[in-house]
């Protein structure tokens, strides 16, 4: 029986159109999903949007639009990005979906309540509307939220609380032993250090009238669920938790997240799962942030990179290429229009694209039949790096081979050899085509369209149209 592999992206806030940071998360998740399908794992890939949020209402209000129209429009833009980037997700979950999402979120709440881990308290705290979360004095800089540069509001209200503190030791032990594997190690250490200072119980609901949208708390119509049970639960509600469980055999799986939501996924979510008696995620891959020109992307700075614009100009695989190779999965990375174009011209137009054209042109003119590529050898390191989530290194290995092939052709000079020794020249070209096939097969999870085009060209023994036309 094949192994199952379940992979999720965070669910995105649809309060602005997707930017390159979102494209990064979904692209590396897609690479992993495609890789696991290729090695024969029964794979399920989930993504979606986090919609029960004041951020949406706020963004719609600023534009004077109706919140539902605004929401649907942004969600369409997210979905279009998935299609245009060739993302192979099996499901797109929306947390406003009352049929798919709500029954499971409410069932999870009930389980935690039955366990005795949810209690109502009167609460007073510092609420940051930007984060949609309560902050502690420790989080503030000069009395303000450092991320939003705003003073949080002192709010007093009745909330249900989840007894997260009770699970601190258990969570710590699971992370220490890698039963819950946090990647990379620096993030594992970061969360362990947070856990050693202890976890506080967390506010788990808000009064109904304080929230525009949200899932009602089971058994208490006056309260709505706060983000934790509302959003994190998507990873299992999508699998049918609370409504038939038809896909629950995929659980547990792995989460891909950005570094800003580590605590939610590696502390709060495991606590909820332990309380519910459900298995913890197997792994959490934590990636860095994408900056542009060395600065955080922001509308005011005008440096927000729109992945759709890059796709329109360069194609989906060029964007996938850049994100996989020129951004490290564990650290922050930078994307500018200039660096993108430079990498495109150097490594796709001149590198891979040129190599494919050279080899297939020779194959088409010197060989009578398509080359037999049925015997296949792995390119060393590529799969290992992919399994270690080092996509940039996997790509480096592939491009090292691209360069090597260029050099072989340079030395062999088959266009001269063909004139003096046809058989010898044909043998060399056959070898190049086999090596090109190796490259194409390894490219499948990364650049699926390009890989397919190369494989097709080989099978037809025909030079394809330029894969990556040079951009000036
Ligand atoms: N809705 C929450 C997640 C809930 S998951 C149960 C959220 N949404 S978000 O839209 O703000 O961010 C979604 C993901 O995008 C996060 O993993 C975040 O780290 C990532 N990124 C947001 N900006 C980013 C960059 N500039 N670069 C890379 N990733 C970035 O948080």
């Amino acid at each position: 029986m094949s192994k199952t592999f379940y992979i999720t992206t965070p669910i995105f806030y649809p309060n602005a159109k997707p930017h390159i940071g979102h494209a990064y998360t979904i692209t590396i998740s897609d690479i992993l999903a495609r890789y696991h399908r290729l090695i024969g794992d029964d794979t399920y890939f989930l993504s979606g949007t986090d919609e029960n949020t004041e951020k949406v209402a706020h963004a719609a209000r600023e534009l004077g639009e109706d919140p539902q129209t605004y929401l649907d429009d942004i969600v369409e833009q997210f979905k279009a990005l998935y299609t245009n980037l060739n993302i192979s997700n099996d499901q797109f979950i929306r947390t406003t979906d009352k049929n798919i999402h709500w029954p499971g979120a409410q069932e999870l709440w009930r389980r935690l309540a039955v366990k005795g881990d949810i209690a109502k308290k009167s609460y007073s705290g510092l609420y940051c509307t930007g984060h949609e979360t309560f902050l502690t004095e420790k989080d503030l800089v000069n009395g303000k939220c450092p991320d939003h540069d705003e003073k949080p509001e002192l709010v007093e209200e009745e909330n249900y609380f989840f007894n997260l503190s009770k699970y601190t030791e258990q969570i710590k032990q699971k992370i220490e032993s890698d039963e819950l594997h946090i990647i990379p190690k620096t993030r594992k250490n970061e969360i362990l250090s947070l856990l050693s200072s202890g976890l506080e119980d967390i506010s788990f609901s808000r009064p109904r009238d304080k929230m525009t949208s949200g899932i009602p708390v089971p058994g208490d119509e006056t309260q709505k669920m706060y983000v934790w049970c509302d959003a994190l639960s998507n990873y299992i509600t999508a699998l049918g938790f609370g409504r038939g469980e038809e896909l629950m055999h995929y659980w547990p799986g792995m989460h891909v997240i950005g570094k800003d939501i580590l605590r939610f996924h590696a502390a709060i979510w495991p606590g909820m799962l332990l309380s519910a008696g459900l298995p913890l995620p197997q792994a959490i891959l934590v990636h860095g942030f994408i900056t542009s020109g060395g600065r955080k992307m922001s509308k005011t700075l005008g440096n927000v990179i729109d992945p759709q614009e890059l796709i329109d100009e360069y194609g989906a695989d060029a964007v996938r290429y850049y994100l996989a190779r020129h951004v490290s999965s564990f650290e922050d990375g930078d994307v500018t229009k200039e660096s993108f174009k430079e990498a495109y011209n150097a490594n796709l137009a001149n590198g891979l694209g040129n190599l494919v054209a050279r080899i297939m042109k020779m194959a088409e003119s010197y060989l009578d039949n398509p080359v037999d590529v049925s015997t296949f050898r792995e390119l060393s390191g590529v799969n290992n790096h992919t399994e270690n989530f080092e996509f940039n290194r996997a790509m480096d290995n592939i491009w090292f081979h691209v360069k090597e092939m260029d050099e072989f052709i340079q030395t062999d000079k088959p266009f001269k050899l063909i004139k003096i020794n046809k058989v010898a020249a044909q043998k060399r070209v056959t070898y190049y085509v086999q090596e090109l096939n190796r490259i194409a097969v390894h490219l499948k999870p990364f650049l699926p369209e390009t890989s397919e085009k190369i494989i097709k060209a080989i099978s037809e023994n025909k030079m394809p149209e330029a894969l990556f036309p040079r951009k000036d």
Side-chain angles (χ1 to χ4, degrees):
M1 234 177 66
S2 60
K3 269 197 319 197
T4 59
F5 179 75
Y6 177 43
I7 183 161
T8 70
T9 72
I11 44 173
F12 301 98
Y13 285 131
N15 62 329
K17 66 180 182 180
H19 59 61
I20 197 80
H22 304 134
Y24 182 71
T25 309
I26 56 176
T27 300
I28 63 170
S29 305
D30 187 62
I31 290 168
L32 286 169
R34 287 178 182 271
Y35 175 76
H36 280 270
R37 280 189 208 105
L38 285 168
I39 61 169
D41 290 347
D42 176 5
T43 301
Y44 199 83
F45 175 18
L46 174 73
S47 193
T49 35
D50 192 350
E51 303 186 358
N52 298 315
T53 156
E54 295 307 310
K55 291 180 199 291
V56 172
H58 189 78
R61 222 176 297 128
E62 271 195 348
L63 292 171
E65 281 186 25
D66 161 56
Q68 192 61 45
T69 318
Y70 176 83
L71 185 59
D72 290 342
D73 177 50
I74 299 274
V75 170
E76 272 324 302
Q77 294 190 45
F78 267 92
K79 287 188 173 173
L81 176 66
Y82 285 59
T83 307
N84 299 337
L85 252 187
N86 244 316
I87 301 300
S88 63
N89 56 311
D90 296 288
Q91 189 183 152
F92 188 98
I93 191 165
R94 299 182 59 173
T95 56
T96 45
D97 192 322
K98 293 192 169 83
N99 299 319
I100 299 288
H101 180 62
W102 290 27
Q106 289 178 324
E107 174 58 22
L108 187 61
W109 180 289
R110 270 185 225 106
R111 288 234 198 152
L112 272 46
V114 166
K115 190 73 179 284
D117 285 338
I118 292 183
K120 206 171 193 177
K121 284 190 214 168
S122 156
Y123 179 66
S124 114
L126 299 165
Y127 189 80
C128 167
T129 30
H131 275 115
E132 285 188 47
T133 188
F134 285 99
L135 302 178
T136 62
E137 291 286 351
K138 269 194 292 186
D139 299 322
L140 308 181
V141 176
N142 299 329
K144 288 179 174 178
C145 162
D147 295 335
H148 297 97
D149 201 31
E150 264 175 36
K151 251 181 128 162
E153 208 183 317
L154 182 66
V155 172
E156 215 175 323
E157 60 190 36
E158 288 255 279
N159 284 186
Y160 283 99
F161 267 70
F162 171 60
N163 195 348
L164 179 64
S165 55
K166 169 176 164 186
Y167 295 101
T168 310
E169 273 315 304
Q170 245 175 301
I171 300 167
K172 206 170 141 204
Q173 183 267 320
K174 301 257 186 200
I175 293 177
E176 262 165 359
S177 68
D178 284 338
E179 202 178 317
L180 166 50
H181 191 189
I182 311 284
I183 307 139
K185 235 198 171 85
T186 45
R187 299 292 169 206
K188 173 176 170 179
N189 294 339
E190 181 183 328
I191 195 73
L192 283 174
S193 115
L194 190 129
L195 287 162
S196 40
S197 50
L199 293 173
E200 285 176 19
D201 293 346
I202 52 167
S203 165
F204 224 51
S205 73
R206 297 204 72 197
R208 186 180 56 188
D209 54 350
K210 296 271 173 71
M211 294 173 77
T212 319
S213 66
I215 309 175
V217 164
D220 187 345
E221 285 292 311
T222 69
Q223 295 267 322
K224 280 182 181 169
M225 285 181 198
Y226 189 45
V227 290
W228 317 123
C229 199
D230 176 318
L232 290 162
S233 59
N234 90 88
Y235 300 131
I236 54 173
T237 64
L239 300 179
F241 181 76
R243 53 170 180 94
E245 309 221 330
E246 83 265 35
L247 297 170
M248 273 302 277
H249 59 278
Y250 284 110
W251 185 257
M254 79 169 283
H255 301 309
V256 175
I257 61 165
K259 62 181 182 183
D260 56 327
I261 49 177
L262 174 63
R263 188 174 67 96
F264 308 166
H265 286 77
I268 298 176
W269 178 226
M272 291 163 64
L273 290 163
L274 285 168
S275 171
L278 289 165
L280 299 197
Q282 285 157 337
I284 304 179
L285 171 62
V286 191
H287 65 74
F289 258 52
I290 293 190
T291 52
S292 185
R295 307 184 67 173
K296 192 175 166 189
M297 285 182 287
S298 82
K299 275 189 201 154
T300 359
L301 283 177
N303 63 345
V304 182
I305 303 271
D306 179 350
Q308 190 56 56
E309 266 178 37
L310 292 175
I311 297 171
D312 292 343
E313 191 170 350
Y314 297 92
D317 277 356
V319 177
R320 296 175 64 104
Y321 163 81
Y322 191 95
L323 296 177
R325 186 161 187 221
H326 297 275
V327 177
S328 142
S329 5
F330 307 141
E331 280 144 49
D332 292 351
D334 202 75
V335 185
T336 59
K337 288 183 181 162
E338 294 73 29
S339 65
F340 191 96
K341 189 199 230 174
E342 202 181 302
Y344 173 91
N345 278 332
N347 303 312
L348 292 175
N350 293 351
L352 180 65
N354 190 37
L355 181 75
V356 173
R358 275 172 101 183
I359 296 180
M360 290 319 297
K361 191 168 181 219
M362 289 189 280
E364 190 179 331
S365 32
Y366 306 166
L367 306 178
D368 304 325
N369 294 303
V371 172
D372 174 10
V373 287
S374 53
T375 46
F376 169 76
R377 285 178 306 127
E378 233 178 89
L379 262 179
S380 86
V382 179
N383 291 356
N384 268 347
H385 289 317
T386 306
E387 282 171 21
N388 291 329
F389 315 106
E390 296 167 320
F391 310 112
N392 52 343
R393 297 184 70 184
M395 299 291 271
D396 283 347
N397 279 28
I398 299 176
W399 259 263
F400 179 78
H401 205 55
V402 168
K403 195 164 151 260
E404 212 172 40
M405 293 312 299
D406 264 334
E407 287 165 0
F408 282 155
I409 300 173
Q410 201 96 349
T411 326
D412 292 349
K413 299 193 177 40
F415 29 86
K416 285 197 176 147
L417 191 60
I418 191 84
K419 290 179 194 143
I420 47 175
N421 186 344
K422 190 173 172 195
V423 175
Q426 283 178 325
K427 223 169 145 185
R428 285 317 282 162
V429 173
T430 302
Y431 166 73
Y432 304 151
V433 174
Q434 282 162 342
E435 291 305 300
L436 190 60
N437 178 64
R438 274 175 98 189
I439 290 173
V441 170
H442 282 93
L443 280 175
K444 276 184 186 179
F446 301 95
L447 315 185
E449 222 179 307
T450 304
S451 163
E452 212 174 284
K453 282 186 188 162
I454 301 174
I455 290 170
K456 185 164 176 268
I458 294 174
S459 74
E460 293 172 351
N461 199 39
K462 245 182 127 70
M463 183 171 119
E465 266 182 41
L467 294 179
F468 300 103
R470 222 193 125 75
K471 302 276 177 187
D472 295 311

